[in-house]
mmCIF file of all heavy atoms in Angstrom:
data_model
loop_
_atom_site.group_PDB
_atom_site.id
_atom_site.type_symbol
_atom_site.label_atom_id
_atom_site.label_comp_id
_atom_site.label_asym_id
_atom_site.label_seq_id
_atom_site.Cartn_x
_atom_site.Cartn_y
_atom_site.Cartn_z
ATOM 1 N N GLY A 1 106.734 101.820 106.668
ATOM 2 C CA GLY A 1 106.656 103.178 106.147
ATOM 3 C C GLY A 1 105.650 103.347 105.031
ATOM 4 O O GLY A 1 105.573 104.412 104.412
ATOM 5 N N PHE A 2 104.845 102.312 104.771
ATOM 6 C CA PHE A 2 103.798 102.438 103.757
ATOM 7 C C PHE A 2 102.600 103.202 104.304
ATOM 8 O O PHE A 2 102.031 104.059 103.629
ATOM 9 C CB PHE A 2 103.367 101.057 103.253
ATOM 10 C CG PHE A 2 102.273 101.119 102.220
ATOM 11 C CD1 PHE A 2 102.558 101.537 100.926
ATOM 12 C CD2 PHE A 2 100.975 100.773 102.532
ATOM 13 C CE1 PHE A 2 101.563 101.604 99.960
ATOM 14 C CE2 PHE A 2 99.966 100.841 101.581
ATOM 15 C CZ PHE A 2 100.261 101.260 100.292
ATOM 16 N N LEU A 3 102.197 102.877 105.530
ATOM 17 C CA LEU A 3 101.155 103.641 106.216
ATOM 18 C C LEU A 3 101.828 104.660 107.121
ATOM 19 O O LEU A 3 102.639 104.301 107.976
ATOM 20 C CB LEU A 3 100.252 102.715 107.041
ATOM 21 C CG LEU A 3 99.397 101.713 106.263
ATOM 22 C CD1 LEU A 3 98.602 100.837 107.217
ATOM 23 C CD2 LEU A 3 98.462 102.421 105.288
ATOM 24 N N THR A 4 101.493 105.928 106.932
ATOM 25 C CA THR A 4 102.089 106.997 107.728
ATOM 26 C C THR A 4 101.001 107.879 108.304
ATOM 27 O O THR A 4 99.877 107.925 107.779
ATOM 28 C CB THR A 4 103.022 107.869 106.866
ATOM 29 O OG1 THR A 4 102.231 108.574 105.884
ATOM 30 C CG2 THR A 4 104.073 107.021 106.154
ATOM 31 N N PRO A 5 101.275 108.597 109.379
ATOM 32 C CA PRO A 5 100.278 109.525 109.912
ATOM 33 C C PRO A 5 99.822 110.549 108.875
ATOM 34 O O PRO A 5 98.656 110.952 108.866
ATOM 35 C CB PRO A 5 101.024 110.207 111.070
ATOM 36 C CG PRO A 5 102.059 109.220 111.489
ATOM 37 C CD PRO A 5 102.488 108.534 110.218
ATOM 38 N N GLU A 6 100.730 110.918 107.976
ATOM 39 C CA GLU A 6 100.405 111.931 106.975
ATOM 40 C C GLU A 6 99.382 111.419 105.968
ATOM 41 O O GLU A 6 98.364 112.082 105.711
ATOM 42 C CB GLU A 6 101.672 112.384 106.251
ATOM 43 C CG GLU A 6 102.660 113.171 107.098
ATOM 44 C CD GLU A 6 103.441 112.303 108.068
ATOM 45 O OE1 GLU A 6 103.520 111.068 107.840
ATOM 46 O OE2 GLU A 6 103.973 112.842 109.061
ATOM 47 N N ASN A 7 99.632 110.231 105.377
ATOM 48 C CA ASN A 7 98.678 109.781 104.368
ATOM 49 C C ASN A 7 97.355 109.317 104.987
ATOM 50 O O ASN A 7 96.304 109.426 104.352
ATOM 51 C CB ASN A 7 99.284 108.704 103.444
ATOM 52 C CG ASN A 7 99.809 107.485 104.172
ATOM 53 O OD1 ASN A 7 99.262 107.054 105.165
ATOM 54 N ND2 ASN A 7 100.905 106.924 103.646
ATOM 55 N N LEU A 8 97.392 108.852 106.231
ATOM 56 C CA LEU A 8 96.140 108.515 106.901
ATOM 57 C C LEU A 8 95.342 109.775 107.242
ATOM 58 O O LEU A 8 94.114 109.794 107.137
ATOM 59 C CB LEU A 8 96.413 107.707 108.170
ATOM 60 C CG LEU A 8 96.915 106.282 107.941
ATOM 61 C CD1 LEU A 8 97.408 105.676 109.251
ATOM 62 C CD2 LEU A 8 95.811 105.408 107.351
ATOM 63 N N ALA A 9 96.043 110.832 107.638
ATOM 64 C CA ALA A 9 95.361 112.078 107.989
ATOM 65 C C ALA A 9 94.689 112.704 106.775
ATOM 66 O O ALA A 9 93.599 113.275 106.876
ATOM 67 C CB ALA A 9 96.348 113.069 108.605
ATOM 68 N N ILE A 10 95.316 112.595 105.609
ATOM 69 C CA ILE A 10 94.725 113.150 104.389
ATOM 70 C C ILE A 10 93.376 112.503 104.113
ATOM 71 O O ILE A 10 92.380 113.174 103.836
ATOM 72 C CB ILE A 10 95.684 112.963 103.199
ATOM 73 C CG1 ILE A 10 96.896 113.875 103.361
ATOM 74 C CG2 ILE A 10 94.974 113.260 101.882
ATOM 75 C CD1 ILE A 10 97.979 113.629 102.324
ATOM 76 N N GLU A 11 93.329 111.183 104.215
ATOM 77 C CA GLU A 11 92.058 110.499 103.974
ATOM 78 C C GLU A 11 91.053 110.763 105.087
ATOM 79 O O GLU A 11 89.853 110.846 104.843
ATOM 80 C CB GLU A 11 92.288 109.001 103.817
ATOM 81 C CG GLU A 11 92.910 108.646 102.481
ATOM 82 C CD GLU A 11 92.906 107.157 102.210
ATOM 83 O OE1 GLU A 11 92.407 106.387 103.046
ATOM 84 O OE2 GLU A 11 93.397 106.784 101.147
ATOM 85 N N GLU A 12 91.542 110.882 106.320
ATOM 86 C CA GLU A 12 90.643 111.192 107.433
ATOM 87 C C GLU A 12 89.967 112.529 107.202
ATOM 88 O O GLU A 12 88.758 112.686 107.434
ATOM 89 C CB GLU A 12 91.423 111.206 108.741
ATOM 90 C CG GLU A 12 90.570 111.483 109.985
ATOM 91 C CD GLU A 12 89.623 110.339 110.286
ATOM 92 O OE1 GLU A 12 89.896 109.200 109.886
ATOM 93 O OE2 GLU A 12 88.583 110.608 110.934
ATOM 94 N N ASN A 13 90.715 113.501 106.720
ATOM 95 C CA ASN A 13 90.143 114.813 106.440
ATOM 96 C C ASN A 13 89.173 114.786 105.270
ATOM 97 O O ASN A 13 88.335 115.671 105.130
ATOM 98 C CB ASN A 13 91.262 115.820 106.157
ATOM 99 C CG ASN A 13 92.090 116.118 107.394
ATOM 100 O OD1 ASN A 13 91.607 115.983 108.520
ATOM 101 N ND2 ASN A 13 93.348 116.493 107.205
ATOM 102 N N ARG A 14 89.292 113.761 104.438
ATOM 103 C CA ARG A 14 88.345 113.589 103.333
ATOM 104 C C ARG A 14 87.262 112.575 103.695
ATOM 105 O O ARG A 14 86.663 111.958 102.832
ATOM 106 C CB ARG A 14 89.091 113.116 102.081
ATOM 107 C CG ARG A 14 90.069 114.157 101.531
ATOM 108 C CD ARG A 14 90.862 113.584 100.367
ATOM 109 N NE ARG A 14 91.812 114.566 99.834
ATOM 110 C CZ ARG A 14 92.740 114.275 98.935
ATOM 111 N NH1 ARG A 14 92.852 113.054 98.460
ATOM 112 N NH2 ARG A 14 93.562 115.220 98.495
ATOM 113 N N TYR A 15 87.061 112.362 104.991
ATOM 114 C CA TYR A 15 86.038 111.449 105.507
ATOM 115 C C TYR A 15 86.280 110.006 105.071
ATOM 116 O O TYR A 15 85.348 109.243 104.852
ATOM 117 C CB TYR A 15 84.643 111.911 105.077
ATOM 118 C CG TYR A 15 84.343 113.329 105.495
ATOM 119 C CD1 TYR A 15 84.452 114.372 104.596
ATOM 120 C CD2 TYR A 15 83.980 113.621 106.807
ATOM 121 C CE1 TYR A 15 84.203 115.684 104.987
ATOM 122 C CE2 TYR A 15 83.724 114.930 107.203
ATOM 123 C CZ TYR A 15 83.842 115.955 106.296
ATOM 124 O OH TYR A 15 83.595 117.249 106.681
ATOM 125 N N GLY A 16 87.551 109.650 104.939
ATOM 126 C CA GLY A 16 87.906 108.263 104.663
ATOM 127 C C GLY A 16 87.721 107.834 103.231
ATOM 128 O O GLY A 16 87.920 106.671 102.898
ATOM 129 N N ALA A 17 87.343 108.737 102.328
ATOM 130 C CA ALA A 17 87.100 108.349 100.939
ATOM 131 C C ALA A 17 88.406 108.319 100.161
ATOM 132 O O ALA A 17 89.162 109.278 100.166
ATOM 133 C CB ALA A 17 86.133 109.322 100.276
ATOM 134 N N ALA A 18 88.659 107.194 99.504
ATOM 135 C CA ALA A 18 89.869 107.065 98.700
ATOM 136 C C ALA A 18 89.691 107.671 97.316
ATOM 137 O O ALA A 18 90.658 107.922 96.611
ATOM 138 C CB ALA A 18 90.255 105.588 98.561
ATOM 139 N N GLY A 19 88.450 107.883 96.931
ATOM 140 C CA GLY A 19 88.191 108.459 95.614
ATOM 141 C C GLY A 19 88.161 107.397 94.536
ATOM 142 O O GLY A 19 88.466 106.230 94.755
ATOM 143 N N VAL A 20 87.751 107.786 93.337
ATOM 144 C CA VAL A 20 87.672 106.882 92.203
ATOM 145 C C VAL A 20 88.951 107.033 91.385
ATOM 146 O O VAL A 20 89.205 108.085 90.807
ATOM 147 C CB VAL A 20 86.436 107.186 91.342
ATOM 148 C CG1 VAL A 20 86.403 106.252 90.137
ATOM 149 C CG2 VAL A 20 85.162 107.049 92.166
ATOM 150 N N ASN A 21 89.777 105.979 91.364
ATOM 151 C CA ASN A 21 91.058 106.026 90.670
ATOM 152 C C ASN A 21 91.008 105.174 89.413
ATOM 153 O O ASN A 21 90.331 104.137 89.377
ATOM 154 C CB ASN A 21 92.177 105.516 91.580
ATOM 155 C CG ASN A 21 92.385 106.421 92.785
ATOM 156 O OD1 ASN A 21 92.323 107.635 92.659
ATOM 157 N ND2 ASN A 21 92.626 105.812 93.931
ATOM 158 N N PRO A 22 91.741 105.551 88.378
ATOM 159 C CA PRO A 22 91.816 104.718 87.176
ATOM 160 C C PRO A 22 92.416 103.353 87.510
ATOM 161 O O PRO A 22 93.315 103.235 88.339
ATOM 162 C CB PRO A 22 92.739 105.519 86.246
ATOM 163 C CG PRO A 22 92.721 106.918 86.774
ATOM 164 C CD PRO A 22 92.518 106.795 88.246
ATOM 165 N N GLN A 23 91.922 102.321 86.838
ATOM 166 C CA GLN A 23 92.409 100.964 87.025
ATOM 167 C C GLN A 23 92.478 100.289 85.667
ATOM 168 O O GLN A 23 91.617 100.519 84.811
ATOM 169 C CB GLN A 23 91.462 100.168 87.940
ATOM 170 C CG GLN A 23 91.281 100.738 89.331
ATOM 171 C CD GLN A 23 92.426 100.394 90.244
ATOM 172 O OE1 GLN A 23 92.874 99.254 90.277
ATOM 173 N NE2 GLN A 23 92.910 101.367 90.987
ATOM 174 N N VAL A 24 93.476 99.428 85.475
ATOM 175 C CA VAL A 24 93.616 98.710 84.213
ATOM 176 C C VAL A 24 93.921 97.240 84.490
ATOM 177 O O VAL A 24 94.562 96.893 85.477
ATOM 178 C CB VAL A 24 94.712 99.317 83.320
ATOM 179 C CG1 VAL A 24 94.271 100.659 82.767
ATOM 180 C CG2 VAL A 24 96.028 99.477 84.073
ATOM 181 N N VAL A 25 93.452 96.389 83.589
ATOM 182 C CA VAL A 25 93.471 94.958 83.838
ATOM 183 C C VAL A 25 94.889 94.400 83.895
ATOM 184 O O VAL A 25 95.164 93.476 84.685
ATOM 185 C CB VAL A 25 92.620 94.219 82.770
ATOM 186 C CG1 VAL A 25 93.274 94.313 81.393
ATOM 187 C CG2 VAL A 25 92.357 92.779 83.165
ATOM 188 N N TRP A 26 95.820 94.920 83.085
ATOM 189 C CA TRP A 26 97.152 94.301 83.070
ATOM 190 C C TRP A 26 97.934 94.599 84.347
ATOM 191 O O TRP A 26 98.648 93.734 84.854
ATOM 192 C CB TRP A 26 97.918 94.713 81.822
ATOM 193 C CG TRP A 26 98.214 96.179 81.660
ATOM 194 C CD1 TRP A 26 99.305 96.872 82.116
ATOM 195 C CD2 TRP A 26 97.394 97.138 80.987
ATOM 196 N NE1 TRP A 26 99.220 98.194 81.770
ATOM 197 C CE2 TRP A 26 98.051 98.392 81.074
ATOM 198 C CE3 TRP A 26 96.170 97.071 80.311
ATOM 199 C CZ2 TRP A 26 97.534 99.558 80.522
ATOM 200 C CZ3 TRP A 26 95.652 98.229 79.753
ATOM 201 C CH2 TRP A 26 96.331 99.452 79.857
ATOM 202 N N THR A 27 97.779 95.810 84.890
ATOM 203 C CA THR A 27 98.461 96.112 86.151
ATOM 204 C C THR A 27 97.828 95.347 87.299
ATOM 205 O O THR A 27 98.525 94.804 88.167
ATOM 206 C CB THR A 27 98.434 97.615 86.429
ATOM 207 O OG1 THR A 27 98.949 98.317 85.295
ATOM 208 C CG2 THR A 27 99.283 97.962 87.640
ATOM 209 N N ASN A 28 96.490 95.295 87.336
ATOM 210 C CA ASN A 28 95.817 94.481 88.346
ATOM 211 C C ASN A 28 96.285 93.035 88.287
ATOM 212 O O ASN A 28 96.537 92.393 89.316
ATOM 213 C CB ASN A 28 94.306 94.517 88.143
ATOM 214 C CG ASN A 28 93.662 95.816 88.573
ATOM 215 O OD1 ASN A 28 92.654 96.237 88.004
ATOM 216 N ND2 ASN A 28 94.209 96.483 89.578
ATOM 217 N N GLY A 29 96.424 92.504 87.065
ATOM 218 C CA GLY A 29 96.840 91.115 86.914
ATOM 219 C C GLY A 29 98.258 90.873 87.385
ATOM 220 O O GLY A 29 98.556 89.840 87.997
ATOM 221 N N THR A 30 99.159 91.808 87.114
ATOM 222 C CA THR A 30 100.542 91.667 87.568
ATOM 223 C C THR A 30 100.616 91.654 89.087
ATOM 224 O O THR A 30 101.292 90.805 89.691
ATOM 225 C CB THR A 30 101.410 92.803 87.009
ATOM 226 O OG1 THR A 30 101.363 92.779 85.586
ATOM 227 C CG2 THR A 30 102.854 92.660 87.470
ATOM 228 N N LEU A 31 99.917 92.590 89.726
ATOM 229 C CA LEU A 31 99.930 92.653 91.188
ATOM 230 C C LEU A 31 99.282 91.415 91.796
ATOM 231 O O LEU A 31 99.766 90.890 92.812
ATOM 232 C CB LEU A 31 99.210 93.918 91.653
ATOM 233 C CG LEU A 31 99.914 95.236 91.305
ATOM 234 C CD1 LEU A 31 98.994 96.417 91.571
ATOM 235 C CD2 LEU A 31 101.208 95.390 92.096
ATOM 236 N N ALA A 32 98.198 90.946 91.196
ATOM 237 C CA ALA A 32 97.548 89.732 91.691
ATOM 238 C C ALA A 32 98.487 88.537 91.602
ATOM 239 O O ALA A 32 98.549 87.701 92.513
ATOM 240 C CB ALA A 32 96.265 89.466 90.907
#
């Protein structure tokens, strides 16, 4: 249920661009 037709369709309508999102080192490090 992480990938759904709805969230894929939103990006498809935006030509596949995810956009520029804020990122921070401590959250990246935790997920890594």
Side-chain angles (χ1 to χ4, degrees):
F2 179 74
L3 294 178
T4 67
E6 292 75 20
N7 57 35
L8 290 169
I10 290 173
E11 286 191 1
E12 182 68 25
N13 292 334
R14 294 175 180 171
Y15 304 100
V20 178
N21 295 320
Q23 300 280 315
V24 289
V25 68
W26 62 89
T27 307
N28 285 149
T30 301
L31 293 169

